[in-house]
Amino acid sequence: MTIDWQAFTPWTSLLGGALIGLAAAAFVLLNGRIAGISGIVGGLLTPKKGDTGWRLAFVGGMVAAPLLWLLVSSLPVIQIDASFPMLVIAGLVVGVSTRFGAGCTSGHGVCGISRLSPRSLIATGAFMLSGFATVFIIRHLLGGL
Amino acid sequence: MNKSLLSAFIAGLIFGIGLLVSGMANPEKVLGFLDLAGPWDPSLALVMGGAVAVGLIAFNLAGKRQTSLLGDVMRLPTRRDIDKPLVLGSLGFGIGWGLAGFCPGPALVALGAGELKALVFTVAMLLGMAIYELLQRQRPV
């Protein structure tokens, strides 16, 4: 294994992570809820009375984040190399499986591990493993797609 | 404005800013972390570390409360069983994550940044979630 020291951003990643943790902390302490993005978004598809507003507010905050950022500075690089067909496949797979698996990087990865939940520890291990395997297959066995 | 709605919006806003600061909103950086055999960028391990360090304290406090600070019901998950949907769903999520470098949160942030590709991913993700709901309805529980 070789480390890409040029790409490595320890301080901003640690700081950004702490902000993500702070957001999850505020959400659970103020609203009593888990900041799990796939669950919050997924619940919008089966709307129940009194259960939609907070979801839209949270999602609205996330979408508004880059706009707030732009008031202060130019946005950091967002480089998306995947082709359009690949993005459609990836989106479908992420949509179906995060609902089956009851969470994603935020709900299981951040909140679940912070709760020391056995389900989330297993889930996080599983998606990390298949994420590593998928990128290995695409980049090193198939030569990139 | 309703206090709970406002705090949900602000939590989403801080979450999104955190994703931008950390580099996780950039799919190429995510793939650089998932590519163990290439020149590896370990940054995302620190994103997780930073988030969990704050989260551990907060969820410990939250676990002791009956109601939230705004008086809402605490809705913390209680399940502890490891079942097949959890494991297979999570394995599937990792595959989708590795295909494009997007998970749900960063896709929403990149969408807000006006990225057309993030819009395509998000619409496909919503479609995938709708497919899940249809499958759940057809299956006797």
Side-chain angles (χ1 to χ4, degrees):
Chain A
M1 180 187 285
T2 49
I3 297 206
D4 187 350
W5 293 108
Q6 295 227 303
F8 188 40
T9 51
W11 299 111
T12 49
S13 285
L14 205 55
L15 174 68
L19 282 171
I20 293 168
L22 186 70
F27 200 47
V28 74
L29 290 170
L30 292 169
N31 292 56
R33 292 184 186 275
I34 298 286
I37 315 303
S38 57
I40 293 174
V41 173
L44 287 170
L45 297 176
T46 52
K48 293 172 197 73
K49 203 174 184 313
D51 190 51
T52 301
W54 69 272
R55 296 176 191 272
L56 288 174
F58 191 95
V59 169
M62 291 197 76
V63 176
L67 306 175
L68 178 72
W69 185 292
L70 276 171
L71 295 178
V72 185
S73 169
S74 57
L75 283 173
V77 176
I78 298 178
Q79 192 188 337
I80 310 166
D81 285 352
S83 65
F84 281 101
M86 183 61 102
L87 285 160
V88 171
I89 297 169
L92 284 170
V93 172
V94 167
V96 174
S97 28
T98 49
R99 298 301 283 144
F100 268 110
C104 58
T105 3
S106 48
H108 282 313
V110 174
C111 299
I113 290 187
S114 295
R115 293 189 304 114
L116 305 173
S117 152
R119 276 172 63 83
S120 292
L121 290 168
I122 296 283
T124 305
F127 67 65
M128 298 288 296
L129 196 74
S130 60
F132 287 135
T134 302
V135 173
F136 181 79
I137 291 169
I138 290 180
R139 289 199 170 173
H140 302 284
L141 298 184
L142 301 176
L145 283 177
Chain B
M1 189 183 180
N2 181 314
K3 275 184 197 159
S4 297
L5 286 184
L6 183 64
S7 71
F9 179 79
I10 292 172
L13 200 60
I14 299 173
F15 204 111
I17 301 277
L19 287 172
L20 283 166
V21 171
S22 68
M24 255 201 104
N26 179 7
E28 271 317 293
K29 190 161 181 74
V30 172
L31 293 175
F33 170 75
L34 290 176
D35 188 6
L36 289 176
W40 187 52
D41 176 3
S43 305
L44 259 60
L46 292 173
V47 180
M48 191 67 112
V52 169
V54 178
L56 275 171
I57 303 166
F59 281 96
N60 187 268
L61 290 172
K64 293 175 185 156
R65 299 187 61 92
Q66 300 300 317
T67 56
S68 78
L69 294 171
L70 294 178
D72 294 326
V73 183
M74 296 300 287
R75 290 184 175 84
L76 295 174
T78 50
R79 284 182 65 178
R80 296 180 69 83
D81 59 308
I82 312 295
D83 61 348
K84 214 191 270 180
L86 175 81
V87 177
L88 294 181
S90 298
L91 285 171
F93 164 50
I95 294 173
W97 191 30
L99 286 178
F102 265 138
C103 52
L108 292 177
V109 174
L111 177 67
E115 295 287 340
L116 175 63
K117 284 185 162 181
L119 176 66
V120 171
F121 177 91
T122 305
V123 170
M125 179 177 82
L126 287 169
L127 199 60
M129 290 175 170
I131 292 170
Y132 164 84
E133 297 295 342
L134 290 175
L135 291 174
Q136 288 301 95
R137 263 175 228 179
Q138 281 172 359
R139 206 174 53 167
V141 180

